[in-house]
């Protein structure tokens, strides 16, 4: 099944980026406005600056309102570019001449913020276009001013946009990988849910058929009916109703209907039967309650319909149970009483039911011959499915205790000891997978819809974190080489000590390597992080101290801005206060250098504030984003799980509906005409051909039931189920297996066992079954006596890989089905 395309991780990430963009745009506008008035000096005009600041602030408010309400749009990016471009074109008339050619003007802050924010858009082309347009407008504004020439710092805008754009590409690839992981997980969970629901419903249907249709056909095939029987006709009619109920979305377990009596002289284990004299009860029980309710409403009709040959002494206390649980108790008790009547040779059954240890317990004990539960073959289902399986399907349990000669005791309990009620077993709910309004219980490892707990949120957070950490390492590394190293080399003559700058650069390079390795390996211990942060601060102080105060705001003072980025790298997963403290201490060093050199005037303070905000805002935003990713991952997981639950419910419902219809058509087509003939009296149950047809269809049903079992060798398991009806009819069956059987799919197994099934159904006294297998070939042959002609279509297999050979002798028949891979 192809994994669906999920957008939960991407949508949650884009919402986070919108919040980041709004914060940067709003904060940048406020900081720029303060810096504009703080540094007001010629040639900047107060009136023009006031209008420009007002326009920038108004747009920031509109930007926030539109972004938070509508999300990303072309209008946001275009409006941002128009406002920033207009300010850049008027740059020469909006800032003092002292800051016109460097990166400390408030207009540069607005332009830089626009370039950075545009990269957060989910459309990279918008970011690239905004970067080019704003950088061009910045250069154009300087060119329009007669006292300025286009400076090289305009290139910094292009560098900022390019670096951040590349960082977002890395992060978004990880986000897309998270979406893919969500889709794959969703597909796997839906497939598991469909399989579980299909298996649950399939087994419930087969319990219904086992307890009714299969039992009727088996009795007829075994020769238990020797003449006209009104009870048989009535039961065949009820069996047709059972088949019709398979179409219903929420199948109810069938009532006991009729009760075959104990087979005379039979020592067959409970749940199984052989040919013999059969006694029949009258009509089935009244309808069970439709809305759960009192357990007595479920069990009293079952006890009333039990075979009168066995006295049932019952004591049933009033206790409320959900519908699925009541139905399971009723079906299990009906099957248990049927087994007693068929096989136990008992005269009395004691039934006790009521509350027990916080749950409900039903106990049946008979005084019959007993049996060895360990000796029941794996392909027989009376105890395993109709009792144990039925109770397990609603979170209950069934325990059968029996010893040959000492009777049998059956204890049914809900919920199972030590367990609570299963999901979907509440009053009025489905049992999970029955298609009646309940969804299968959650697959192991899934998240709750609120995003709490482990599982899907961890998957999304892992991908978010992986991409973000890699992008941060990449950003810091490229900036340290592409900006910091270039500044050291190109401004070497500006420093008080070039050696100090080189040592500072190399120290930060080592910090970057160690910090990057630690980040990618998810190491966040306090000691290592603070040691690296201390080394970062020391290197920055060394590099800044070697820069004259007059050059602090030029490209020469690369260490001031670099320290914050390296701090973000080594403290990314640490408390935010640690990074804020590093940025504050680093800024204090720069302020001290300015004061020491006597360069701390009003304009310098404005430039200082602009640079501090321009760098610290981005670095703190980076750290805040890293923390917000976990919450974003939880929200993405909650959305993805909610969407997945809808898809899962829809697919489960569709698959179950299709399965019900296919199952109904298959059973109706094969068994329906036979039951209809028995119901209206057209078919004589004593006729050899009728008994043969019943044996064939009963064997097919047994094979169908066996197909739902999880066993090591499915082919042999299903073949033994086919031989079971012959064994019940008193046929001596000898099964021999030679060689090693390959694993075959269900259609191939059906095609291989179909012809042998007919031969076994016609056998009267003996049947020798031989199975020969090897890696590319399997042959099943049956040598048996028989008198009913083999249908002509039997020699033509439904599978072209299976060849059927039939040879009839005077008193025996040989049938072989051979598969070649």
């Amino acid at each position: 099944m192809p994994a669906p395309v999920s957008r939960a991780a991407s949508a949650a990430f884009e919402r986070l980026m919108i919040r980041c963009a709004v914060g940067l745009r709003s904060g940048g506008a406020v900081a720029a406005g303060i810096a504009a008035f703080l540094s007001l000096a010629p040639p900047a005009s107060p009136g023009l600056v006031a209008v420009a600041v007002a326009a920038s602030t108004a747009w920031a408010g509109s930007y926030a309102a539109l972004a938070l309400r509508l999300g990303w749009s072309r209008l946001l990016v275009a409006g941002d570019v128009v406002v920033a471009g207009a300010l850049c074109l008027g740059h020469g008339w909006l800032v003092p001449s002292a800051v016109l050619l460097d990166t400390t003007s408030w207009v540069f802050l607005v332009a830089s913020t626009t370039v950075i924010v545009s990269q957060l858009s989910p459309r990279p082309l918008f970011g690239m276009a905004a970067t080019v347009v704003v950088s061009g407008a910045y250069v154009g504004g300087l060119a329009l001013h007669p006292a300025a020439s286009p400076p090289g710092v305009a290139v910094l805008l292009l560098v900022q946009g390019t670096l951040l754009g590349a960082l977002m590409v890395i992060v978004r690839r990880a986000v897309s990988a998270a979406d893919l992981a969500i889709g794959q997980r969703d597909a796997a969970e839906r497939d598991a849910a469909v399989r579980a629901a299909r298996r649950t419903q399939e087994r419930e249907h087969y319990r219904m058929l086992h307890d009714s249709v299969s039992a009727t056909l088996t009795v007829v095939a075994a020769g238990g009916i020797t003449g006209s029987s009104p009870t048989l006709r009535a039961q065949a009619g009820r069996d047709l109703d059972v088949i019709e109920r398979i179409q219903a979305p929420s199948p109810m377990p069938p009532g006991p209907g009729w009760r075959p009596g104990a087979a005379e002289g039979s020592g067959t284990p409970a749940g199984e039967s052989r040919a013999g004299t059969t006694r029949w009860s009258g009509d089935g029980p009244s309808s069970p309650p439709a809305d759960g309710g009192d357990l007595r409403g479920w069990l009293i009709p079952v006890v009333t319909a039990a075979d009168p040959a066995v006295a049932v002494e019952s004591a049933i206390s009033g206790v409320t149970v959900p519908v699925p649980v009541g139905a399971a108790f009723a079906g299990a008790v009906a099957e248990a009483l049927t087994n007693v009547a068929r096989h136990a040779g008992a005269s009395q059954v004691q039934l006790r039911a009521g509350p027990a240890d916080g749950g409900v317990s039903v106990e049946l004990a008979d005084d019959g011959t007993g049996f060895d539960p360990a000796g029941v073959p794996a392909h027989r289902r009376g105890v395993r499915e109709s009792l144990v399986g039925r109770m397990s399907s609603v979170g209950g349990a069934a325990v059968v205790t029996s010893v040959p000669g000492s009777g049998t005791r059956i204890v049914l309990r809900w919920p199972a000891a030590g367990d609570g009620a299963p999901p979907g077993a509440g009053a009025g709910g489905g049992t999970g997978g029955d298609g009646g309004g309940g969804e299968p219980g959650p697959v192991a490892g899934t998240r709750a819809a609120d995003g709490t707990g482990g599982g899907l949120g961890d998957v999304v957070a892992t991908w978010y974190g992986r991409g973000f950490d890699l992008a941060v390492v990449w950003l810091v590394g490229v900036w340290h080489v592409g900006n910091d190293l270039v500044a050291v080399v190109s401004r070497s003559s500006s420093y008080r000590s070039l050696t100090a700058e080189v040592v500072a650069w190399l120290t930060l390079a080592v910090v970057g390597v160690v910090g990057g390795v630690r980040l990618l390996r998810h190491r966040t211990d306090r000691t290592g992080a603070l040691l690296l942060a201390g080394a970062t601060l020391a290197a920055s102080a060394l590099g800044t101290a070697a820069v004259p105060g007059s050059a602090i705001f030029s490209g020469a003072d690369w260490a001031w801005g670099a320290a914050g980025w390296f701090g973000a790298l080594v403290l990314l997963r640490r408390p935010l206060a640690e990074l804020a403290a590093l940025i504050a201490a680093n800024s204090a060093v720069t302020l001290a250098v300015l004061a020491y050199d006597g360069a701390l005037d009003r304009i310098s303070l404005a430039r200082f504030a602009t640079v501090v905000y321009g760098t610290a805002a981005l670095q703190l935003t980076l750290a805040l984003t890293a923390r917000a990713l976990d919450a974003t991952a939880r929200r993405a997981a909650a959305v993805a799980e909610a969407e997945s639950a809808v898809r899962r419910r829809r697919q489960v419902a569709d698959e179950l509906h299709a399965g019900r219809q296919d199952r109904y058509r298959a059973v109706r087509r094969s068994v329906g005409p036979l039951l209809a003939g028995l119901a209206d009296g057209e078919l004589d149950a004593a006729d050899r051909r009728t008994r043969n047809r019943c044996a064939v269809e009963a064997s097919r049903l047994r094979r169908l039931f066996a197909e739902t079992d999880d066993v090591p060798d499915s082919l042999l398991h299903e073949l033994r189920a086919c031989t079971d009806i012959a064994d019940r009819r008193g046929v001596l069956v000898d099964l021999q297996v030679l060689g090693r059987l390959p694993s075959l799919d269900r259609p191939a197994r059906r095609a291989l066992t179909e012809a042998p099934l007919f031969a076994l159904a016609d056998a009267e006294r003996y049947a020798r079954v031989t199975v020969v297998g090897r890696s590319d070939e399997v042959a099943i042959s049956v040598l048996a006596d028989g008198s009913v002609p083999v249908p002509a279509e039997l020699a033509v297999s439904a599978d072209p890989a299976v060849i059927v050979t039939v040879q009839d002798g005077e008193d025996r028949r040989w049938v072989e089905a051979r598969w070649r891979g």
Side-chain angles (χ1 to χ4, degrees), residues 348-716:
Q348 187 176 42
V349 177
Q350 292 185 339
L351 186 152
R352 300 287 181 269
D357 299 329
V360 181
S361 177
V362 176
E363 180 178 341
L364 300 95
D366 67 62
D367 59 357
T369 58
F371 69 102
D372 179 11
V376 179
H379 63 276
R380 295 191 175 178
R381 315 179 69 78
V383 172
R384 176 165 57 87
E385 281 297 326
S386 294
L387 296 183
V388 178
R390 180 171 272 132
M391 293 305 301
S392 296
S393 69
V394 294
V399 177
V400 179
T401 305
S402 184
V403 176
S406 299
T408 300
R409 179 173 177 266
I410 299 172
V411 178
L412 311 175
R413 182 176 178 82
W414 179 85
D419 293 337
T431 59
D434 66 358
E439 186 186 343
V443 180
T446 60
R447 294 183 61 83
D450 63 357
T452 59
L456 189 55
D458 295 333
V459 173
V460 180
T462 297
W463 280 107
Y464 277 173
R466 184 180 302 173
F468 196 78
D469 292 350
L470 182 62
V472 170
V473 171
W474 184 89
L475 173 65
V476 173
V478 171
W479 185 261
H480 194 50
V481 173
N483 180 76
D484 300 346
L485 183 60
V486 170
V488 171
V489 174
S490 63
R491 303 295 183 98
S492 59
S493 60
S494 303
Y495 300 118
R496 293 187 177 112
S497 170
L498 179 60
T499 301
E501 295 297 321
V502 173
V503 170
W505 189 92
L506 290 175
T507 301
L508 288 178
V510 173
V511 169
V513 171
V514 176
V517 171
R518 283 171 52 85
L519 181 62
L520 295 178
R521 291 184 176 180
H522 311 293
R523 294 181 59 185
T524 59
D525 58 281
R526 185 172 186 270
T527 301
L530 293 184
L531 284 175
L532 290 174
T536 298
L537 190 58
S540 176
L542 178 64
T544 302
V547 179
S550 59
I552 286 291
F553 298 113
S554 68
D557 190 15
W558 58 270
W560 180 14
W565 291 115
F566 280 92
L569 174 66
V570 301
L571 300 174
L572 190 65
R573 304 294 178 186
R574 298 287 304 163
L576 192 63
E578 295 179 1
L579 177 59
L582 184 145
I583 292 174
N586 184 54
S587 300
V589 170
T590 302
L591 200 61
V593 171
L594 285 172
Y596 178 79
D597 285 351
L600 200 59
D601 55 19
R602 178 174 60 86
I603 294 179
S604 294
L605 282 174
R607 299 172 77 182
F608 174 79
T610 301
V611 174
V612 168
Y613 176 83
T615 55
L618 288 176
Q619 292 153 4
L620 290 172
T621 297
L622 195 70
L624 286 170
T625 301
R627 283 153 181 75
L629 285 176
D630 288 338
T632 302
R634 288 194 295 273
R635 286 191 291 271
V639 172
E641 182 59 30
E643 294 173 348
S644 175
V646 172
R647 288 191 295 266
R648 190 159 57 240
R649 283 193 294 270
R650 183 182 299 118
Q651 184 169 343
V652 166
D654 292 345
E655 292 279 348
L656 291 186
H657 175 74
R660 283 194 301 270
Q661 297 307 308
D662 290 345
R663 206 170 297 124
Y664 166 75
R665 285 191 293 267
V667 176
R668 193 74 175 84
R669 184 173 55 249
S670 61
V671 179
L674 183 56
L675 289 175
L678 293 173
D680 59 23
E682 290 185 2
L683 295 177
D684 182 5
D687 182 72
R688 179 73 178 87
R689 294 176 183 270
T690 299
R691 293 202 306 270
N692 180 265
R693 288 181 61 187
C694 287
V696 168
E697 297 304 336
S699 297
R700 282 175 170 164
L701 285 177
R702 294 276 172 169
R703 180 181 64 188
L704 193 66
F705 303 157
E707 288 176 350
T708 65
D709 294 334
D710 297 319
V711 293
D713 196 326
S714 299
L715 178 60
L716 278 181

Side-chain angles (χ1 to χ4, degrees), residues 255-427:
W258 53 271
R259 289 287 169 261
E264 295 180 358
S266 171
T268 309
E272 313 303 334
S273 65
R274 286 186 181 275
T277 303
T278 306
R279 291 184 294 272
W280 301 74
S281 75
D283 294 334
S286 58
S287 299
D291 57 349
D294 199 319
L295 181 64
R296 290 174 294 190
W298 290 94
L299 297 187
I300 290 176
V302 174
V303 174
T304 302
D307 191 327
V310 179
V312 180
E313 178 187 333
S314 62
I316 307 174
S317 302
V319 57
T320 301
V321 294
V323 170
V325 177
F329 273 127
V333 169
E335 178 66 11
L337 293 176
T338 299
N339 290 340
V340 172
R342 286 178 183 171
H343 323 297
S347 60
Q348 187 176 42
V349 177
Q350 292 185 339
L351 186 152
R352 300 287 181 269
D357 299 329
V360 181
S361 177
V362 176
E363 180 178 341
L364 300 95
D366 67 62
D367 59 357
T369 58
F371 69 102
D372 179 11
V376 179
H379 63 276
R380 295 191 175 178
R381 315 179 69 78
V383 172
R384 176 165 57 87
E385 281 297 326
S386 294
L387 296 183
V388 178
R390 180 171 272 132
M391 293 305 301
S392 296
S393 69
V394 294
V399 177
V400 179
T401 305
S402 184
V403 176
S406 299
T408 300
R409 179 173 177 266
I410 299 172
V411 178
L412 311 175
R413 182 176 178 82
W414 179 85
D419 293 337

